[in-house]
Amino acid sequence: MNDSGASIIFCDGDRFKNLAPLLREGKLPLVRKCIISRETDPSVSAGFGDLVMKLDDLMTEAAKDGRMRPPEVTIDQDDNAIIMYTSGTTGALVWS
């Protein structure tokens, strides 16, 4: 996360369980917001204040002015999704 410079993380509740200790220990200093979907254990995200937001709440806020509406699709937990990241894309070019 730190290598990529990510300041916003979108994850489900299971992934947030892995991130929570890192956030509490200050090991992800660039992260300013975690958007969580399908949270099964709200106690994991408790105590993070404004750092954590539920995806449903974000979508509700975004739709308030009528310009942005969530797509009318059904997404299954087993549907495929991928975000690829390679650490090599963020490194500085070194000439020797």
Side-chain angles (χ1 to χ4, degrees):
M1 295 291 181
N2 292 329
D3 287 344
S4 72
S7 60
I8 300 173
I9 297 172
F10 285 81
C11 62
D12 64 11
D14 290 340
R15 266 30 71 192
F16 187 76
K17 287 178 186 177
N18 297 326
L19 289 172
L22 299 174
L23 291 165
R24 282 195 184 95
E25 295 167 13
K27 293 184 178 178
L28 299 173
L30 301 177
V31 175
R32 300 287 175 250
K33 186 69 76 176
C34 287
I35 312 296
I36 302 175
S37 66
R38 294 189 302 270
E39 184 176 37
T40 56
D41 183 0
S43 68
V44 176
S45 63
F48 282 98
D50 290 339
L51 179 67
V52 172
M53 182 177 213
K54 291 182 177 35
L55 179 61
D56 289 340
D57 294 340
L58 173 66
M59 298 302 281
T60 299
E61 282 294 316
K64 278 185 178 177
D65 66 7
R67 290 184 296 143
M68 196 248 173
R69 292 191 183 104
E72 306 246 351
V73 296
T74 302
I75 300 172
D76 188 349
Q77 186 171 349
D78 294 326
D79 286 350
N80 293 324
I82 187 167
I83 297 175
M84 296 183 77
Y85 167 76
T86 63
S87 60
T89 60
T90 62
L93 181 60
V94 177
W95 295 95
S96 56

